[in-house]
């Protein structure tokens, strides 16, 4: 572990400890005692992550302090004050989490929590982190980089959540909860203008139609110029061009609550292409000075993402203690994207791609709230289909060997039908001691169709209607199905000597289903059963991968101290991660000429690992009314320390290389320190906000790469926000990444060599050598203004 980052982590922890010690000293008068969440005991910003905040982590409303697992909950008001614009930005204040825009895309999400996640968004791989919008699970990561507007709160649940949440939440779950409609007519207009010609407009309105029926809608236009340019095509790179809308209809007569909602988004941003980290090995093209510039030449399809869906939530109070809930969801999305791996004008490794996803889900819950017993019984069903199509063009390779360029087309169609029954109950043994037991049985059927065809002479007619390409070989024609079953338990014990303290121990198990690699090639399958014949059974096992599981043990303490001026949460956890799914892509020489002319996916359950760590979160009211009535100073912090190591890692040659592999997208240390200083002024309050977030060294892949791996860094943000006392008007100025730190968030690697320095690079696919990087947002400034009617 980098010693500098150990020192920085100690400084973060020391600052947090100082804040804890300073809280009582800064108090100017004694505060009234109250349970966490008492509005008189804390200013609004204390409720950002205060232990009294109401969450639904266990599918029922309860105080954050009462939930025996690690949760970070951030209100929509706090997100607006900080100038947070989209989902990935919340990772700066949540420990042991990575949220990034996937390589080569604008709206596909890469998410890791406590070392568990999914790097590759190709159909056939399921995310290890579940994303929920109003309790509807999003089965695919496309269109999942959600813009933050019209949101009540975002909850991040760390550790396996399989007992209560959908499927494949072995790393954790992220809950995006939209705001319920207000009782009175309302209209809100929010605008943003800033660097790179950013211009956003969000309009939200609602009105009651009757005493029991309300209707509301939001529309958003989100645009920004590129951080860089495509010097070859003359287009922008890393720009934003999004239209989005949501509509809601709510009926509430007391015992019956019905919410019908729908949303639509279309993203027509330019294709996000990477920048080369090494010169072209064939053309000698130099590395560009600006990391946001590219020379990518692929323009056979336009970048576009269209997604829409709806949800019907019904809650019926059958008795004073029993509530029946139904959650019905449907979602659909379609994407086209030109992924230019080599980021050069020639088609050395160009991949135009299509993604199409649709899903229907139905969940039924029976909730019980008694004097000592509370919990939920439920049933969940999901029917989803994910279609992927892409060409892999190696035209430069063809020119080099004097033949027309080769193109390998892959069509993958993955169907999923899963159902599960679950239950989770808490029994108060005494007024201070409670135990919880839960379990989930999952039946997960996966059906996969993979067709791979090699063309010669250009792109296939799927992407080029005027194509003259000729199919010369079918290298995969596979159809297979398998059902994966598992039972995952959860148990916890919680001791609350007072409402302000919760000591808990929790065991939970997570399960992520298996499947088939849609990029696999059946003709590359070896004789796995040793019978001297490569048949369907060998191909089935070659493309298939099994489920993975995590057993997690967590010991924690949540507390509200000093009359709710200090809220803390501390947790230590041990995770046993087995049958880890390791997806990978390798170059393949299909004709024996010594040149890799295609690439295939090979996914295996190659590893087992231990993922252990500590998390410490808190916020403290350091002072109040020191600069006039209503003034306050609040500090908040988080620190995550993770020790993730492979115990075994079997490579393609059967060797255990665990000591040569690392966890991808998983820093050893994550942390942040922030403050909110509020000063009354002009019939309102001015809030000064600052935040510094730290991430230690991280690797993009399991095999370390000095060119793609990111050294530790710190991002610093600041905001100044004025809010009128009436709440009708606010205006803010925000600065993000103030020191303009350049940091890699994703990349592609199809080269060998390069290390130690001076060693020649050798391309493993194509001739230019593909080693490209994608970067996080540069320094930006923008102003926001909101008017409420």
């Amino acid at each position: 572990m980098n010693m500098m980052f150990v020192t920085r982590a100690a400084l973060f922890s020391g600052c947090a400890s100082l804040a804890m010690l300073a809280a009582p000293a800064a108090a100017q008068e004694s505060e009234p005692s109250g349970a966490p969440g008492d509005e008189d005991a804390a200013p609004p910003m204390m409720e950002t992550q205060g232990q009294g905040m109401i969450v639904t982590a266990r599918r029922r409303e309860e105080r954050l302090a009462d939930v025996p697992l690690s949760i970070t909950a951030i209100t929509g008001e706090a997100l607006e004050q900080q100038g947070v614009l989209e989902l990935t930005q919340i990772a700066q204040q949540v420990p042991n989490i990575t949220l990034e825009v996937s390589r080569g895309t604008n709206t596909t999400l890469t998410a890791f929590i406590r070392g568990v996640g999914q790097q590759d968004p190709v159909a056939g791989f399921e995310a290890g982190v579940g994303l929920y919008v109003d309790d509807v699970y999003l089965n695919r990561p496309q269109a999942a980089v959600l813009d933050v507007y019209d949101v009540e709160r975002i909850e991040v649940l760390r550790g396996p959540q399989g007992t209560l949440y959908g499927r494949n939440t072995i790393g954790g779950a992220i809950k995006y909860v939209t705001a319920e409609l207000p009782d009175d007519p309302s209209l809100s207009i929010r605008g943003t203008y800033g660097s790179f010609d950013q211009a956003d407009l969000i309009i939200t309105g609602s009105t009651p139609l009757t005493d029991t029926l309300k209707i509301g809608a939001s529309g958003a236009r989100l645009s920004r110029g590129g951080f860089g340019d495509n010097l070859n095509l003359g287009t922008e790179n890393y720009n934003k061009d999004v239209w989005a809308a949501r509509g809601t209809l709510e009926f509430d007569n007391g015992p019956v609550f019905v919410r019908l909602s729908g949303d639509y988004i279309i993203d027509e941003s330019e294709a996000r292409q990477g920048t080369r980290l090494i010169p072209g090995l064939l053309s000698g093209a130099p590395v560009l000075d600006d990391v946001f510039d590219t020379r990518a030449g692929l323009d056979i399809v336009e970048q576009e993402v269209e997604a829409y869906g709806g949800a019907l939530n019904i809650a019926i109070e059958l008795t004073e203690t029993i509530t029946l809930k139904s959650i019905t969801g449907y979602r659909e999305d379609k994407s086209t994207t030109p992924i230019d791996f080599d980021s050069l004008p020639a088609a050395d490794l160009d991949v135009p791609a299509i993604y199409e996803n649709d899903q229907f889900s139905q969940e039924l819950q029976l909730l019980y709230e008694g004097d000592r017993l509370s919990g939920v019984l439920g049933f969940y069903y999901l029917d989803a289909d994910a279609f992927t199509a892409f060409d892999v063009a190696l035209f430069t390779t063809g020119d080099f060997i004097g033949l027309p360029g080769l193109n390998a087309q892959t069509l993958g169609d993955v169907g999923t039908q899963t159902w599960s029954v679950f239950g989770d109950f808490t029994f108060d043994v005494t007024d201070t001691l409670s135990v919880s037991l839960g379990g989930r049985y999952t039946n997960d059927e996966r059906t996969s169709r993979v067709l791979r065809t090699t063309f010669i002479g250009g792109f296939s007619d799927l992407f080029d209607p005027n194509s003259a390409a000729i199919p010369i070989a079918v290298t995969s024609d596979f159809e297979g199905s398998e059902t994966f079953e598992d039972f995952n338990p959860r148990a916890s014990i919680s001791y609350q000597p007072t409402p302000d303290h919760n000591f808990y121990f929790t065991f939970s198990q997570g399960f992520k289903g298996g499947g088939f690699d849609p990029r696999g090639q059946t003709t590359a399958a070896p004789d796995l059963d040793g019978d001297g014949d490569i048949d369907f059974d060998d191909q089935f096992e070659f493309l298939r991968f099994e489920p993975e599981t995590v057993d997690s043990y967590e010991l924690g303490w949540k507390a509200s101290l000093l009359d709710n001026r200090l809220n803390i949460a501390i947790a230590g956890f041990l995770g046993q991660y087995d049958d880890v799914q390791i997806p990978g892509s390798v170059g393949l020489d299909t004709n024996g000429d010594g040149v890799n002319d295609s690439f295939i996916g090979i996914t295996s359950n190659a590893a087992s690992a231990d993922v252990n760590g500590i998390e410490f979160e808190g916020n403290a009211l350091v002072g109040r009314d020191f600069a006039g009535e209503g003034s306050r100073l609040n500090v908040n912090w988080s620190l995550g320390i993770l020790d993730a190591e492979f115990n075994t890692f079997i490579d393609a040659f059967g060797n255990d290389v665990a000591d040569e592999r690392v966890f991808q997208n998983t820093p050893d240390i994550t942390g942040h320190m922030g403050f909110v200083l509020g000063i009354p002024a002009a019939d309102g309050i001015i809030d000064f906000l600052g935040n510094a977030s730290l991430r230690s060294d991280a690797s993009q892949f399991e095999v370390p790469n000095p060119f793609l791996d990111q050294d530790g860094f710190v991002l610093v943000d600041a905001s100044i926000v004025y809010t009128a006392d009436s709440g009708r008007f606010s205006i803010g100025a925000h600065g993000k990444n103030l020191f303009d730190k350049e940091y890699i968030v994703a990349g592609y690697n199809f080269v060998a060599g390069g290390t130690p320095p001076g060693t020649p690079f050798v391309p493993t696919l194509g001739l230019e050598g593909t080693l490209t990087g994608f970067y996080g947002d540069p320094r930006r400034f923008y102003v926001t203004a909101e008017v409420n009617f």
Side-chain angles (χ1 to χ4, degrees):
M1 187 182 299
N2 189 301
M3 198 63 199
M4 177 180 67
F5 270 83
V6 174
T7 303
R8 290 184 180 178
L11 285 172
F12 267 66
S13 182
C15 290
S17 301
L18 260 168
M20 294 168 62
L21 293 172
Q28 297 188 355
E29 61 182 357
S30 176
E31 293 294 320
S33 178
D38 184 344
E39 292 184 358
D40 294 331
M45 286 305 296
M46 284 291 287
E47 288 303 308
T48 301
Q49 299 180 52
Q51 296 301 328
M53 186 175 177
I54 300 301
V55 296
T56 54
R58 291 196 290 181
R59 297 289 190 162
R60 55 185 185 267
E61 292 187 351
E62 54 190 334
R63 296 185 317 153
L64 185 59
D66 297 332
V67 183
L69 53 89
S70 294
I71 310 173
T72 300
I74 310 173
T75 65
E77 177 187 6
L79 293 169
E80 282 190 1
Q81 274 206 317
Q82 298 168 28
V84 172
L85 300 178
E86 47 93 353
L87 184 66
T88 61
Q89 294 176 3
I90 69 169
Q92 292 181 220
Q93 51 190 305
V94 180
N96 292 328
I97 184 173
T98 297
L99 298 177
E100 295 171 346
V101 179
S102 299
R103 58 201 180 199
T105 75
N106 292 295
T107 58
T108 300
L109 182 67
T110 293
F112 285 78
I113 295 180
R114 292 181 177 177
V116 181
Q118 176 201 4
Q119 173 73 272
D120 202 321
V122 174
F125 304 110
E126 301 298 331
V129 174
L131 179 62
Y132 292 79
V133 177
D134 292 334
D135 283 334
V136 174
Y137 171 67
L138 304 190
N139 189 57
R140 300 294 303 136
Q142 279 77 32
V145 180
L146 303 175
D147 293 292
V148 173
Y149 72 97
D150 196 27
V151 61
E152 178 181 311
R153 69 182 182 277
I154 294 177
E155 300 176 17
V156 180
L157 288 60
R158 297 185 296 281
Q161 307 297 325
T163 303
L164 289 169
Y165 284 92
R167 61 194 298 270
N168 297 338
T169 54
I170 65 172
I174 301 170
K175 296 184 60 178
Y176 186 101
V177 183
T178 61
E180 291 189 0
L181 301 181
D183 294 329
D184 299 318
S186 67
L187 177 64
S188 173
I189 301 174
R190 182 177 178 84
T192 302
Y193 181 78
S195 305
F196 302 98
D197 295 323
Q198 179 177 350
D200 299 344
L201 180 65
I202 300 169
I203 301 176
T204 301
S206 68
T207 185
L209 300 178
T210 68
D211 291 341
T212 58
L213 187 63
K214 295 179 285 189
I215 189 171
S218 295
R221 169 57 175 155
L222 311 170
S223 65
R224 189 197 64 239
F227 299 146
D229 296 299
N230 186 317
L231 305 179
N232 180 45
L233 298 178
T235 58
E236 295 180 301
N237 203 26
Y238 291 79
N239 76 318
K240 188 168 189 175
D241 182 0
V242 171
W243 293 87
R246 291 193 188 123
T248 305
L249 187 68
E250 290 181 357
F251 172 83
D252 188 356
N253 70 353
V256 178
F257 176 80
V258 179
R259 189 180 202 227
L260 177 64
S261 60
D263 63 88
Y264 174 84
I265 182 172
I266 184 165
D267 181 352
E268 296 180 321
S269 310
E270 297 288 351
R272 180 174 294 198
Q273 305 288 9
T275 189
R276 291 186 61 86
L277 304 179
I278 60 173
L281 302 183
L282 179 65
S283 65
V287 175
L288 299 175
D289 293 333
D290 190 331
V291 298
F292 296 105
D293 285 347
T294 184
R295 289 196 184 94
L298 180 60
D299 61 352
I300 192 71
V301 295
E302 294 184 353
Q303 175 87 14
E304 182 177 89
V305 179
E306 183 179 29
Y308 55 89
L312 177 63
N313 291 42
I314 302 173
I316 305 173
E317 294 181 7
L318 302 178
T319 69
E320 291 184 355
T321 58
I322 299 176
T323 300
L324 176 65
K325 284 188 177 182
S326 170
I327 304 168
T328 307
Y330 178 80
R331 300 206 63 82
E332 189 168 331
D333 67 77
K334 180 178 180 179
S335 309
T336 57
T337 180
I339 307 173
D340 194 322
F341 280 63
D342 60 290
S343 293
L344 288 173
D348 187 56
L349 182 50
D350 287 6
V351 181
I354 296 172
Y355 302 102
E356 295 181 4
N357 305 290
D358 62 77
Q359 67 172 82
F360 169 81
S361 61
Q362 175 63 55
E363 184 167 351
L364 296 174
Q365 302 173 10
L366 192 65
L367 295 101
Y368 179 83
E369 291 280 351
D371 292 336
R372 290 196 172 275
L373 180 67
S374 59
V376 59
L377 284 174
F379 170 82
Y380 178 80
Y381 172 78
L382 172 72
D383 186 353
D385 186 77
F387 172 77
T388 298
F390 57 87
D391 283 7
V392 180
L394 297 166
F395 302 156
T396 297
T397 305
D399 293 340
F400 181 75
I401 61 178
L403 296 172
L406 294 175
N407 171 28
Q409 181 193 85
T410 297
L411 304 179
D413 197 353
V414 178
T416 298
Q417 281 193 328
T418 183
W419 61 269
S420 58
V421 290
F422 60 91
D424 195 279
F425 284 88
T426 300
F427 179 70
D428 297 331
V429 180
T430 69
D431 291 341
T432 60
L433 183 67
S434 62
V435 295
S436 297
L437 291 175
R440 185 185 203 95
Y441 169 78
T442 301
N443 182 288
D444 195 5
E445 182 183 6
R446 191 67 58 83
T447 301
S448 184
R449 175 83 167 91
V450 181
L451 177 65
R452 287 174 62 98
T453 305
T454 299
F455 290 80
I456 191 168
F459 289 103
S460 69
D461 58 6
L462 183 65
F463 296 99
D464 182 3
N466 301 315
S467 172
I470 301 171
I472 58 174
V474 174
T475 56
S476 285
D477 190 356
F478 172 84
E479 186 168 2
S481 179
E482 187 162 3
T483 299
F484 306 97
E485 300 175 277
D486 205 7
F487 176 78
N488 305 120
R490 188 187 78 86
S492 68
I493 184 168
S494 177
Y495 174 60
Q496 294 183 268
T498 73
D500 297 337
H501 295 268
N502 185 0
F503 300 90
Y504 67 89
F505 174 77
T506 295
F507 165 77
S508 57
Q509 186 180 84
F511 161 82
K512 186 170 83 169
F516 304 88
D517 193 324
R519 305 160 308 168
Q521 185 161 309
T522 53
T523 55
D527 181 12
L528 293 173
D529 55 17
D531 64 357
D533 180 34
I534 300 176
D535 52 19
F536 176 78
D537 291 340
D538 296 307
Q539 297 169 354
F540 184 92
E541 287 300 320
F542 183 61
L543 267 65
R544 172 184 178 272
F545 53 91
E546 296 181 354
E548 61 181 23
T549 60
V550 172
D551 289 341
S552 177
Y553 305 83
E554 182 172 314
L555 181 65
W557 173 42
K558 298 181 179 182
S560 291
L561 309 171
L562 307 172
D563 293 330
N564 198 35
R565 290 173 175 250
L566 175 63
N567 289 270
I568 60 173
I570 302 174
F573 56 90
L574 304 175
Q576 297 174 355
Y577 194 9
D578 293 318
D579 296 319
V580 183
Q581 297 168 2
I582 306 293
S585 300
V586 298
L588 183 69
D589 177 10
T590 61
N591 56 16
D593 65 357
V595 178
N596 289 335
D597 51 33
S598 181
F599 83 86
I600 62 171
I602 300 178
T603 300
S604 62
N605 299 91
S608 65
D610 289 333
V611 184
N612 308 323
I614 298 172
E615 293 166 351
F616 177 32
E617 295 181 279
N619 56 66
L621 175 62
V622 179
R624 176 188 285 175
D625 298 335
F626 52 84
E629 185 177 358
S631 61
R632 72 263 200 255
L633 174 61
N634 183 284
V635 297
N636 54 85
W637 65 89
S638 67
L639 177 64
I641 299 175
L642 202 62
D643 180 20
E645 292 187 357
F646 288 108
N647 297 321
T648 59
F649 195 114
I650 308 303
D651 67 10
F653 303 100
N655 302 314
D656 187 350
V657 292
D659 58 346
E660 301 172 12
R661 299 293 186 266
V662 297
F663 268 66
Q664 60 176 262
N665 290 290
T666 304
D668 292 339
I669 300 173
T670 54
H672 96 278
M673 279 293 299
F675 72 87
V676 182
L677 172 63
I679 304 294
D683 296 324
I685 191 165
I686 298 177
D687 285 307
F688 300 85
L689 300 91
N691 183 75
S693 62
L694 171 151
R695 298 179 69 82
S696 65
D697 303 353
S699 177
Q700 291 298 325
F701 303 101
E702 282 83 11
V703 179
N705 183 297
F707 300 93
L708 280 176
D709 295 347
Q710 177 60 52
D711 293 335
F713 62 96
V714 174
L715 297 179
V716 178
D717 301 338
S719 299
I720 303 175
V721 181
Y722 170 79
T723 306
D725 287 338
S726 64
R728 291 186 176 276
F729 175 76
S730 68
I731 186 169
H734 309 275
K736 300 295 181 182
N737 189 6
L738 291 179
F739 296 100
D740 204 20
K741 174 64 182 178
E742 289 183 357
Y743 58 100
I744 290 178
V745 298
Y748 293 111
N749 178 29
F750 285 97
V751 296
T755 55
T759 304
F761 287 101
V762 178
T764 58
L765 188 58
L767 298 179
E768 292 282 11
T770 291
L771 187 58
T772 55
F774 298 82
Y775 286 76
D777 293 358
R779 178 170 52 217
R780 292 184 294 152
F781 297 99
Y782 48 89
V783 295
T784 59
E786 183 172 346
V787 181
N788 299 300
F789 300 94

